[in-house]
Amino acid sequence: MNQWYRRTLTKIILVLAGALSGAAFITSLAMALTFAGTANPAEIARMTREPYEESADFSAAVGTMTQDVLAQFRIRDVMETDGAYKPDKIIDVMEYAQTGRSGGANVSGVAYTLGQLEDWGEDYYNSDGSALYSDNEVVVCRRPDGSYYYYYLEDFLGRFERGEMRIEFTGGAQDQAGFLSELQEGTLTDSGGYELRILDREGTELYTDCWNFGQSLRERYAPAGAKNLLEVVNRSSDMNGRLSEIYEAIAMTLTDIYDNSVQYQAGWEWMEEGNTNYTYIYINETTRQVYTNRADYEGYKNAEEHIRDLKSGENVKYLIVRPKLRDFETNMNVSASGEWTTLRSSRPDNRTEIVFAAAVDTSYPIQDQFYEGSRNYNSNLPFLRGSLIMLIAGGLLFLACTVWLSVTDGKKPGDEEIHLTTFDRWKTEIAAATVILIWGVATLMLLSVGIPDIDWGHAVESAEYYVDKYGIPYLYSGLFTQAISLADMTGVFCYGFFSFLCFYAGYLSLVRRIRAKTLWKNSLVRAVLNFVKRAAGSRHDTMTAGILTAGYIGLQLLAIASRSVPVIFLALLADLAALWFILTGAMAKGRIRKGIEEIASGNLAYRIDLTGLRGAERHMAEKVNDIGGGLNRAVDEAMRNERLKTDLITNVSHDIKTPLTSIINYVDILKRSDIADEKIRGYLDILEAKAHRLKTLTEDVVEASKVSSGNITLEYMDVDLRELIRQTEGEMAEKFAARKLTMVVSLPEEPAVIHVDGRRMWRVLENIFNNAAKYAMPGTRVYADLTASESEVHFSLKNISEQPLNIPAEELTERFIRGDISRSTEGSGLGLSIAKSLTSMQGGKFELYLDGDLFRADLSFPRVKKGKAPDKSV
């Protein structure tokens, strides 16, 4: 099976298809959000079937027009008196700031003429803050009764110069000049800065505290009936302590009056008959006045008849708002309570009863904003429908490609192994940051040159508001105002394609990492945690370096923060010390590196000079020198092993050749002799002996090989070593007698129990006794001594060697080494080597001692206590 779906070309095609479908999804989503203005699929689906006149866009346009009409009446109410513009009309600022209207009277004392406010408002609108406000112009003082009195700073200081006021300090070493200097500089911004009393010439207490007010509005005009604002505030108990509130009210009034003036001067020609498809009738039931943009609808007498005529006809959308909400009428998609509340808020006062009727001729005979909205809506609606189809198709294709890639990514045809790319071997966090950084940089570059003109901000802000309030993202659509060009859609599509390529680069790498189980294993966080763990585990080595580094950094930060000369001097000393440590450490590492290179190149005799080295560097250099000595010893050992191998071949060849030669020769004699001859029987005995010797040699070689490779299974049991020695002595008695050797055995009374493999232990004893039988001087005694302490059992076998022992004792346990240098005896040279190895494997100690011709073999084993056997492992 070729498994084409796992091929690299298939995956490339799927990535491109997924990125293209994702880009199509994003582009269609942008179009849908821009045109539909909602993320609610049901709302979007409804809008695709909804004509303009039934849409929320149309209702919003009618509502905006209605608010403009009502705003016209409010502005005229402010700007006109008895139907005419009067610039000398009095506007009470506090009243206007609260209600948005003015009764034409000075109620609060903070009042200006309409002309003054228009002129001042234009300056306020066109000037920056420095031209409108003073930073230190006003001083506020607290009277003994807790009320406030305000001064202009120049006036306040002048009173002290003229001697009209003086200061009496009640606490601390304070003086009048310092206090006035702070006020003049504007630094005394809080009350309670001084403990004082301000007195007049007669010594009467005027104020208990004074301080700078802060920013104050520059007064272009004086209020009606006063020289300045401070006079109004100081003489009115209602205004006392409200200077900040007054400034805010003036600022708001100036802005609003200026906007009203600009709109009033521009007029409402676009609302007049013949300029709009929107018709309105505004009826003041209290004054019996009618305002309308249709000449034939004027007059209060036939107002109701005009309203009925207004809403008649097939191509009319209307709304009628009356004083009672239950009388509300409309054939549009608008909120009855919302329109009713809007009308009530536009009334001149709470007693006025208003009837408002409005209608739009939906045949659009006039090319106004409703006509333009209808044309845009109907031309954009097919794009909205197409974007929905593209949204669904692009989303499904993207999902299919992503699932397909998720299943096959990392696999190749013919095997199930997960194949990682070079990028997948980067640290997880670094790889993720790289993808995000590339995408982020490209996005910032796109933002810097400008993104397509799509109302993302409007969509996002409105969606957030409606999600928080209602749980469903909703906002008015842009079908009747928005237009997306081909360049806009191309820009969004290209950006989406790039974004999804970045997504696939990161996502598919993540999938491969998860499958290969390297997501966490190759994580930077894990590497840091492992480093911290290793550092903590090696705290003996890292503690000093960590403390010194932390202290060094802390000292540098302290020097930067304090800027103290002593601390900076200490930091400089620390820098010099750090430089010294770095340079000496670098030189020490250079010596150590040279030593390692010399030893690695084969110069095993090279030694690093330890002069001047301290601490860890000296310890490391000593270890490197030890490595050189160790390698020398290893080389010597290797050469010795090579010699032993050569001796092995030579000795085995000699030991096998001798019996084989005898066997061959005697077989040849047997072929040419009478089998019944007595001499021939002697030959057969020789053949049998040589064959046994060859068998023994072969068995010893096999046994030595097994011991050397560890290919032996030990079966442990409790063995009384006394019984084993007696058994061995009995079996070896004939050999000892043949060489006229006398056994002297000394055994303890109590059992000497050890935990060993009985069969292997018998082999150890057999080899030791057999060695004595072969090499002991005939006619001498052989001593076998067994002793037992609380924790140990010790056995020794001593004899006098027949041949001079001119080799070290440890060499007698090497393979094929004999005390008989001429090799005239029949031993294999493996017996003591096998005995030593088997003893060590069973947890015992095997040692040989030579003293002249005295030969002694010692065995030691842990003694088994009653009811408990020592732990053994094979």
Side-chain angles (χ1 to χ4, degrees):
M1 196 173 177
N2 59 9
Q3 294 183 323
W4 58 270
Y5 51 87
R6 291 188 179 182
R7 295 184 180 276
T8 303
L9 179 60
T10 304
K11 295 175 184 177
I12 292 174
I13 293 173
L14 286 172
V15 168
L16 293 176
L20 289 171
S21 60
F25 177 86
I26 289 295
T27 305
S28 59
L29 179 62
M31 293 173 61
L33 285 176
T34 302
F35 286 137
T38 177
N40 189 332
E43 287 293 323
I44 297 177
R46 179 186 59 78
M47 291 177 63
T48 58
R49 304 186 302 270
E50 191 175 63
Y52 174 59
E53 290 73 22
E54 298 295 331
S55 69
D57 294 332
F58 179 81
S59 300
V62 173
T64 300
M65 191 71 172
T66 299
Q67 290 178 359
D68 290 342
V69 171
L70 298 178
Q72 172 192 179
F73 299 135
R74 186 188 68 80
I75 292 171
R76 282 178 171 168
D77 181 63
V78 173
M79 305 297 293
E80 296 178 354
T81 301
D82 297 328
Y85 170 69
K86 288 191 175 181
D88 58 350
K89 178 181 179 179
I90 295 295
I91 304 292
D92 188 296
V93 170
M94 304 305 290
E95 178 188 18
Y96 189 87
Q98 184 175 4
T99 65
R101 300 182 182 278
S102 175
N106 184 0
V107 178
S108 66
V110 186
Y112 301 87
T113 65
L114 177 61
Q116 290 175 334
L117 291 174
E118 287 183 284
D119 189 30
W120 192 1
E122 184 177 4
D123 286 347
Y124 188 86
Y125 184 84
N126 295 321
S127 302
D128 58 11
S130 61
L132 299 173
Y133 290 90
S134 298
D135 290 330
N136 185 29
E137 186 69 24
V138 175
V139 175
V140 56
C141 296
R142 184 187 291 113
R143 291 168 171 153
D145 63 359
S147 61
Y148 300 93
Y149 197 89
Y150 299 88
Y151 289 94
Y152 292 105
L153 178 63
E154 185 177 353
D155 178 30
F156 186 76
L157 297 176
R159 289 175 183 268
F160 283 94
E161 290 178 2
R162 295 190 297 271
E164 296 176 9
M165 292 192 300
R166 62 186 177 86
I167 302 175
E168 182 181 287
F169 294 96
T170 59
Q174 300 167 332
D175 61 272
Q176 178 173 300
F179 173 77
L180 295 178
S181 176
E182 287 193 48
L183 280 177
Q184 190 169 8
E185 292 172 0
T187 58
L188 195 61
T189 56
D190 295 317
S191 63
Y194 286 86
E195 297 180 13
L196 55 80
R197 298 166 62 221
I198 298 181
L199 311 175
D200 62 9
R201 291 180 187 271
E202 289 74 27
T204 303
E205 184 179 28
L206 298 178
Y207 311 110
T208 60
D209 198 3
C210 291
W211 62 91
N212 297 101
F213 175 78
Q215 273 197 338
S216 57
L217 187 66
R218 292 183 179 176
E219 302 176 48
R220 179 164 183 178
Y221 297 101
K227 295 180 181 180
N228 50 57
L229 273 176
L230 298 190
E231 180 181 336
V232 174
V233 177
N234 288 333
R235 75 186 180 187
S236 171
S237 58
D238 290 338
M239 296 290 103
N240 191 267
R242 297 173 60 188
L243 185 58
S244 296
E245 182 181 342
I246 291 171
Y247 284 152
E248 291 174 2
I250 292 175
M252 190 277 289
T253 301
L254 291 176
T255 302
D256 197 62
I257 290 293
Y258 176 72
D259 289 340
N260 290 343
S261 175
V262 171
Q263 193 167 352
Y264 182 78
Q265 292 172 17
W268 289 273
E269 183 179 356
W270 52 277
M271 288 187 184
E272 294 176 359
E273 185 176 5
N275 293 332
T276 179
N277 294 303
Y278 179 90
T279 302
Y280 68 87
I281 302 175
Y282 183 92
I283 304 171
N284 189 325
E285 294 284 5
T286 303
T287 61
R288 295 179 177 270
Q289 290 178 306
V290 175
Y291 303 93
T292 181
N293 61 347
R294 282 274 298 272
D296 53 346
Y297 285 167
E298 295 178 352
Y300 179 79
K301 181 178 180 181
N302 299 321
E304 287 299 326
E305 181 181 343
H306 295 158
I307 290 175
R308 286 193 295 272
D309 182 66
L310 180 72
K311 68 178 183 179
S312 63
E314 294 182 358
N315 298 320
V316 173
K317 290 292 183 180
Y318 65 89
L319 63 86
I320 302 171
V321 186
R322 298 182 184 275
K324 300 297 181 182
L325 180 59
R326 67 185 176 214
D327 298 326
F328 179 84
E329 298 179 57
T330 187
N331 63 349
M332 293 190 299
N333 182 22
V334 295
S335 167
S337 61
E339 299 297 333
W340 183 72
T341 302
T342 300
L343 183 63
R344 286 179 62 83
S345 65
S346 70
R347 295 180 301 175
D349 55 65
N350 292 331
R351 297 182 300 275
T352 303
E353 297 293 341
I354 301 295
V355 175
F356 182 80
V360 177
D361 184 353
T362 56
S363 63
Y364 307 118
I366 300 170
Q367 296 185 9
D368 62 352
Q369 68 267 37
F370 291 99
Y371 168 82
E372 293 293 336
S374 174
R375 190 177 67 173
N376 289 338
Y377 188 95
N378 292 325
S379 62
N380 286 333
L381 194 59
F383 286 100
L384 177 61
R385 292 167 180 163
S387 67
L388 280 181
I389 297 173
M390 188 188 301
L391 184 71
I392 296 171
L396 291 176
L397 181 57
F398 169 76
L399 184 61
C401 292
T402 303
V403 171
W404 191 332
L405 288 167
S406 299
V407 172
T408 62
D409 194 39
K411 296 181 179 180
K412 292 184 177 180
D415 68 66
E416 297 299 322
E417 181 182 352
I418 302 301
H419 298 271
L420 298 178
T421 65
T422 302
F423 180 69
D424 298 335
R425 293 181 172 86
W426 290 17
K427 293 297 184 184
T428 301
E429 295 84 352
I430 295 177
T434 301
V435 173
I436 294 172
L437 181 63
I438 292 173
W439 177 81
V441 169
T443 302
L444 290 176
M445 291 175 62
L446 181 64
L447 291 173
S448 66
V449 299
I451 59 175
D453 188 19
I454 296 176
D455 196 6
W456 296 97
H458 175 60
V460 171
E461 291 173 7
S462 300
E464 288 177 351
Y465 170 78
Y466 283 100
V467 165
D468 292 340
K469 190 170 183 180
Y470 303 111
I472 298 177
Y474 183 82
L475 51 116
Y476 287 123
S477 76
L479 283 173
F480 75 115
T481 57
Q482 296 291 334
I484 302 180
S485 67
L486 180 61
D488 293 337
M489 289 189 293
T490 302
V492 174
F493 183 86
C494 292
Y495 176 70
F497 180 72
F498 169 76
S499 297
F500 278 99
L501 285 180
C502 292
F503 163 77
Y504 275 124
Y507 172 74
L508 295 179
S509 177
L510 177 65
V511 170
R512 291 190 294 270
R513 291 167 189 262
I514 293 174
R515 285 186 169 175
K517 299 180 180 179
T518 62
L519 181 65
W520 172 248
K521 186 184 299 183
N522 198 30
S523 167
L524 188 62
V525 173
R526 180 175 180 268
V528 171
L529 292 176
N530 286 340
F531 172 78
V532 172
K533 184 178 179 181
R534 291 196 304 271
S538 304
R539 55 185 174 274
H540 177 73
D541 299 323
T542 60
M543 182 69 73
T544 303
I547 293 174
L548 289 176
T549 303
Y552 175 80
I553 294 173
L555 185 59
Q556 303 303 314
L557 293 176
L558 181 62
I560 294 172
S562 66
R563 298 183 180 179
S564 169
V565 174
V567 178
I568 294 174
F569 180 72
L570 288 176
L572 180 60
L573 291 179
D575 291 338
L576 294 175
L579 179 63
W580 183 81
F581 276 114
I582 292 172
L583 293 179
T584 54
M587 289 187 290
K589 289 180 176 61
R591 283 199 218 173
I592 295 171
R593 182 176 61 253
K594 186 175 186 324
I596 293 173
E597 291 172 351
E598 287 288 338
I599 293 173
S601 64
N603 186 7
L604 303 181
Y606 184 84
R607 293 294 179 270
I608 299 172
D609 184 8
L610 302 179
T611 305
L613 297 184
R614 296 178 181 83
E617 284 84 4
R618 184 180 184 89
H619 180 71
M620 190 181 304
E622 290 173 347
K623 294 298 182 184
V624 171
N625 288 342
D626 291 344
I627 290 173
L631 288 174
N632 260 328
R633 291 189 294 273
V635 169
D636 291 341
E637 182 68 20
M639 294 177 66
R640 183 166 169 270
N641 288 336
E642 286 298 321
R643 287 195 300 270
L644 288 175
K645 290 178 183 177
T646 303
D647 292 343
L648 167 64
I649 296 171
T650 303
N651 295 337
V652 170
S653 300
H654 178 273
D655 289 347
I656 292 177
K657 179 181 178 181
T658 300
L660 280 178
T661 301
S662 299
I663 292 172
I664 292 170
N665 291 335
Y666 282 106
V667 167
D668 182 62
I669 293 172
L670 288 174
K671 287 181 179 178
R672 293 182 282 103
S673 304
D674 183 6
I675 197 66
D677 190 350
E678 203 56 44
K679 185 189 292 187
I680 299 303
R681 291 189 180 275
Y683 294 160
L684 289 174
D685 292 338
I686 294 172
L687 280 174
E688 183 180 15
K690 297 299 182 182
H692 277 297
R693 182 182 177 189
L694 188 59
K695 176 184 177 184
T696 301
L697 177 61
T698 305
E699 288 176 349
D700 286 348
V701 171
V702 172
E703 185 78 8
S705 175
K706 288 183 178 180
V707 171
S708 176
S709 63
N711 190 21
I712 290 180
T713 302
L714 299 178
E715 298 177 1
Y716 286 97
M717 63 187 71
D718 289 345
V719 176
D720 187 351
L721 192 54
R722 298 181 307 165
E723 299 300 329
L724 204 57
I725 291 171
R726 291 192 185 103
Q727 179 184 349
T728 306
E729 178 195 5
E731 294 186 4
M732 300 296 295
E734 186 177 346
K735 285 187 177 183
F736 274 76
R739 290 183 55 82
K740 300 179 181 180
L741 297 173
T742 303
M743 282 293 301
V744 180
V745 180
S746 175
L747 301 177
E749 296 290 336
E750 68 278 4
V753 180
I754 58 175
H755 195 67
V756 293
D757 184 326
R759 187 166 64 88
R760 304 297 180 184
M761 192 62 210
W762 183 86
R763 181 65 185 272
V764 171
L765 294 176
E766 180 191 31
N767 286 1
I768 295 174
F769 276 84
N770 198 41
N771 183 75
K774 291 177 181 178
Y775 299 112
M777 181 179 290
T780 60
R781 298 183 183 89
V782 177
Y783 294 90
D785 295 319
L786 178 67
T787 59
S789 65
E790 286 293 329
S791 59
E792 190 178 56
V793 173
H794 181 78
F795 172 73
S796 68
L797 188 71
K798 296 180 289 187
N799 65 268
I800 300 298
S801 175
E802 182 179 9
Q803 301 291 335
L805 297 176
N806 53 3
I807 59 175
E810 58 269 16
E811 287 193 17
L812 289 175
T813 56
E814 298 292 346
R815 296 177 186 179
F816 300 98
I817 297 297
R818 301 183 191 171
D820 177 13
I821 302 300
S822 65
R823 305 187 63 83
S824 58
T825 59
E826 295 185 357
S828 64
L830 294 172
L832 294 181
S833 175
I834 293 172
K836 181 179 180 180
S837 297
L838 289 176
T839 301
S840 298
M841 293 178 68
Q842 296 178 90
K845 295 180 181 179
F846 184 98
E847 295 176 326
L848 297 181
Y849 296 94
L850 297 179
D851 188 2
D853 292 337
L854 175 64
F855 174 87
R856 189 180 81 203
D858 286 349
L859 298 178
S860 297
F861 284 93
R863 185 176 184 181
V864 176
K865 297 180 180 179
K866 293 182 179 179
K868 183 178 180 182
D871 183 28
K872 300 283 184 178
S873 59
V874 180

